[in-house]
Amino acid sequence: MRRHHLIEESKAELDVAYDAVKEAEHALMQLEFDYNERVKQANGGADPAFLDCLLQEKHERQQALDLEALYALQTTATQRFALVSAAFSIVGSVKDPQMTVDLIERILFQDAELRRNRIAIERHLRAFQKGLRDYMLEDSSAENDTAVRTHWAAIEGILRELGRDI
């Protein structure tokens, strides 16, 4: 059975990001529950300074979870997985190599980005398409896997240079 390591890795990154968000959200809910329990235990007779301390502690612990950064990581992992999946789907379903390159190019890049980087983009997309097609249909060798990864990494590099989070 042929294993598509690039797509498996991007899915694993997405799973890790999802689990981290889920864990942080659970911790956030637990913090809120603990805070409410401690306020209840004070039964309305607590010193306002004590309640302020409790609230400050809760806020500090919430900030330490860095949930916004985890959401950003999850968004990036989701986008990367979606792009890798789309590229794999196109290569697997479209027989014409040039049409494959054109479709992937349209999904990944905007017109203005293409005008500035078309030669490098198309070179890497053609090599990625060829390597993946060879891997899928002819030989799932380490060499073909390396070609797929190398050219996808170059494509991601171009996207990052253009300011994309992937």
Side-chain angles (χ1 to χ4, degrees), residues 1-163:
M1 179 163 127
R2 292 174 192 215
R3 304 209 37 192
H4 299 288
H5 299 103
L6 180 62
I7 202 162
E8 287 177 3
E9 289 168 4
S10 66
K11 174 65 168 86
E13 289 172 15
L14 179 56
D15 290 343
V16 167
Y18 171 80
D19 288 342
V21 166
K22 184 176 160 185
E23 185 178 310
E25 288 175 337
H26 179 72
L28 183 64
M29 289 187 296
Q30 187 63 47
L31 280 172
E32 195 64 38
F33 176 80
D34 292 346
Y35 170 76
N36 290 335
E37 286 298 307
R38 290 172 76 184
V39 169
K40 253 198 284 188
Q41 287 173 357
N43 199 20
D47 175 18
F50 173 74
L51 293 176
D52 285 344
C53 268
L54 278 181
L55 186 60
Q56 181 63 30
E57 177 188 335
K58 180 180 91 164
H59 287 305
E60 287 172 5
R61 292 176 67 192
Q62 285 174 338
Q63 286 177 340
L65 292 173
D66 206 5
L67 199 52
E68 293 304 317
L70 292 174
Y71 284 143
L73 179 68
Q74 184 181 33
T75 298
T76 300
T78 301
Q79 291 171 347
R80 182 171 188 260
F81 179 70
L83 294 177
V84 170
S85 297
F88 271 64
S89 178
I90 291 167
V91 171
S93 62
V94 177
K95 293 187 191 304
D96 179 72
Q98 187 56 49
M99 185 181 289
T100 301
V101 169
D102 290 344
L103 289 170
I104 295 172
E105 185 179 82
R106 288 181 187 192
I107 288 172
L108 296 179
F109 297 97
Q110 300 167 1
D111 288 338
E113 296 167 340
L114 289 171
R115 281 191 285 274
R116 289 178 279 168
N117 302 287
R118 184 171 299 277
I119 293 170
I121 290 169
E122 287 187 355
R123 182 182 70 233
H124 289 298
L125 286 175
R126 277 193 300 277
F128 168 78
Q129 179 275 144
K130 182 185 180 328
L132 185 54
R133 186 170 307 274
D134 289 350
Y135 186 89
M136 288 176 155
L137 301 175
E138 294 175 20
D139 182 16
S140 55
S141 66
E143 293 80 22
N144 285 335
D145 185 51
T146 299
V148 169
R149 291 164 173 278
T150 299
H151 293 289
W152 184 260
I155 293 164
E156 283 185 353
I158 293 169
L159 288 167
R160 285 187 189 100
E161 287 172 11
L162 293 168

